[in-house]
Amino acid sequence: MSSISPVQLLTIEVVSLGMKISIRKGELTAESCDMLVVNEFEEFEGVKSGGAGSGTKYLAGEPRGATGAVDKALGGLLVQLARQYQFKGELGTSFLFRTNGIIPAKHVLVVGLGKKQEFDTEAIRQAAAVSYDEARAVQAKRV
């Protein structure tokens, strides 16, 4: 079974509602676009807030996969902002930030996927809807 490297992206082109969506294979962190989308489940490695046993997890240290690759390329900015915004990866949650030229993408959107064991097509639909809404909000032409 083959797999895509976490720092690569797969591209397919779809034109719908006046928005052209492209998904193609390439290096994720070198992608020049208006908004780059990555995601995290609730069960990621985290640090607890409010002391031991509080149960609130934040994105920590070294996220994996595409999120980890983007964080590394941004010098840890993604994790820093996730902590600041208290992002927990809950389904339907997200945070958006500008990269200020650190990577070619103008914005990065981090979308919560919810609990890994509950991940299904409805979770995919919700994550896609959040991504679409944020892309429209920043008037992104290339996502």
Side-chain angles (χ1 to χ4, degrees), residues 17 19 34-35 37 94-98 106-109 128-143:
L17 302 171
M19 185 180 287
D34 297 312
M35 188 176 83
V37 181
S94 66
F95 71 94
L96 176 73
F97 62 97
R98 291 182 177 271
K106 292 179 183 175
H107 299 88
V108 172
L109 175 67
V130 167
S131 301
Y132 180 81
D133 289 345
E134 291 290 349
R136 286 189 57 183
V138 297
Q139 300 178 343
K141 294 186 183 353
R142 294 192 67 214
V143 177

Side-chain angles (χ1 to χ4, degrees), residues 22-23 28 64 72 79 93 100-101 104 111 117 124 132 137-138:
S22 294
I23 304 170
L28 183 66
R64 300 179 189 149
K72 183 176 179 182
V79 167
T93 64
N100 295 321
V111 178
Q117 65 272 21
I124 294 169
Y132 180 81
V138 297

